Amino acid sequence: MSGNAPEVWISAAEGDLIRADAIVVLRLDRTGRLTVQLRDEAKVSVSLLEGASGDARPPADFHRRLVRMIAEVADSGSAQLISARRVDGGWRWISEPL
């Protein structure tokens, strides 16, 4: 997010906040653990969502849904926070203004 574009932040599993524009790689493994690699020389990885088993696991395209959500809220005109939530037995990305 550069220039006049609003900042988009993502809530990590440990409660940290990650700027969306710092993410260069998203990984969703078979257990449902979603990690991101940050744009820096140390190649730091951060968990956005811990793995789960059975029905508690997020859908296979959950990382793609995050990319879609980032693009949508970036056009909102204000700083936004995105977080993963389990709603009615399914996983969703939720955004809220900061």
Side-chain angles (χ1 to χ4, degrees):
M1 313 282 131
S2 61
N4 294 334
E7 291 184 358
V8 178
W9 294 83
I10 302 166
S11 180
E14 299 293 321
D16 294 333
L17 299 178
I18 308 299
R19 275 184 51 156
D21 66 345
I23 297 171
V24 292
V25 177
L26 288 164
R27 288 185 189 94
L28 182 63
D29 69 17
R30 292 180 185 188
T31 69
R33 183 175 188 211
L34 179 59
T35 57
V36 295
Q37 182 177 319
L38 303 181
R39 177 184 48 217
D40 63 3
E41 292 183 25
K43 298 190 190 269
V44 172
S45 290
V46 177
S47 290
L48 295 184
L49 186 64
E50 294 299 332
S53 61
D55 293 337
R57 189 175 22 217
D61 69 340
F62 201 56
H63 57 314
R64 292 174 186 243
R65 293 180 191 186
L66 174 59
V67 173
R68 191 175 309 123
M69 174 69 80
I70 291 169
E72 289 172 4
V73 302
D75 292 335
S76 71
S78 64
Q80 297 282 318
L81 174 64
I82 299 173
S83 57
R85 298 276 164 74
R86 190 160 161 87
V87 178
D88 297 329
W91 284 96
R92 295 186 54 200
W93 291 106
I94 306 293
S95 69
E96 61 185 281
L98 283 175

